[in-house]
Amino acid sequence: SVVAPGKIYAADYTSPTPSNLTTAVLAMEAAYNDAAARTNPDELNLSGGNLGGLTLAPGLYTWGSGVTIPTDVTLSGGANDVWIFQISNDLDVSTGKQVLLSGNAQAKNIYWQVAGQVVMHANAHVAGILLSKTQVTLQTSATLTGRIYAQALIALDNNAITAP
């Protein structure tokens, strides 16, 4: 089962859902392209893509590889601070690991722009807006405070998604 207190669209739902889905896909592509087009990163290829144990300040982070979160990572900042993560391959969050927020950081100001796929393993938790060029998979009991947008597939398995 999935708990999603927002909107879920599928192409085979009754009208007007297919046209709403098209609108949502176009908006997702615009958001993805906007995040991907940002230049002059504050950090380039930070820790070779291994974010485990780090505390990250607001800013633009860019990787020419995939990113892994093998241990908890903390995003620390104020209520109006923004984090944009440009990832040219996959984002992989290990089982039971979390993206934690400190200070007054807010999930609505965190953008994960991922050219590959996003995999959140069982019981993992992420905060932010997931923008995947391909697919997002939340394994059993993984949770998200944010939103999920993918251009190909979103696979869910007993997950809770809370709008930011």
Side-chain angles (χ1 to χ4, degrees):
S1 70
V2 175
V3 177
K7 297 179 181 176
I8 297 176
Y9 297 123
D12 61 351
Y13 283 16
T14 60
S15 186
T17 301
S19 65
N20 290 344
L21 178 60
T22 299
T23 300
V25 168
L26 292 174
M28 181 278 171
E29 289 174 348
Y32 179 92
N33 290 335
D34 179 81
R38 303 295 174 113
T39 59
N40 301 317
D42 297 299
E43 293 285 347
L44 181 61
N45 297 316
L46 178 68
S47 295
N50 180 336
L51 301 186
L54 297 179
T55 297
L56 303 177
L60 175 62
Y61 296 79
T62 302
W63 290 272
S65 64
V67 168
T68 60
I69 300 177
T71 59
D72 294 349
V73 61
T74 302
L75 307 183
S76 180
N80 296 316
D81 290 334
V82 174
W83 290 258
I84 298 175
F85 301 104
Q86 298 172 324
I87 303 168
S88 66
N89 205 318
D90 298 339
L91 171 62
D92 188 273
V93 184
S94 295
T95 299
K97 302 313 172 200
Q98 299 183 64
V99 173
L100 303 168
L101 304 182
S102 72
N104 292 315
Q106 296 190 52
K108 70 179 185 177
N109 297 331
I110 303 164
Y111 301 90
W112 301 88
Q113 178 263 315
V114 183
Q117 66 178 330
V118 176
V119 178
M120 292 174 53
H121 294 272
N123 298 305
H125 176 76
V126 170
I129 313 304
L130 300 176
L131 301 165
S132 173
K133 182 87 171 170
T134 61
Q135 67 183 41
V136 176
T137 301
L138 274 64
Q139 294 181 352
T140 305
S141 300
T143 60
L144 174 74
T145 301
R147 300 184 190 284
I148 302 173
Y149 300 97
Q151 293 186 25
L153 172 74
I154 298 173
L156 306 172
D157 180 11
N158 194 31
N159 310 108
I161 301 167
T162 305

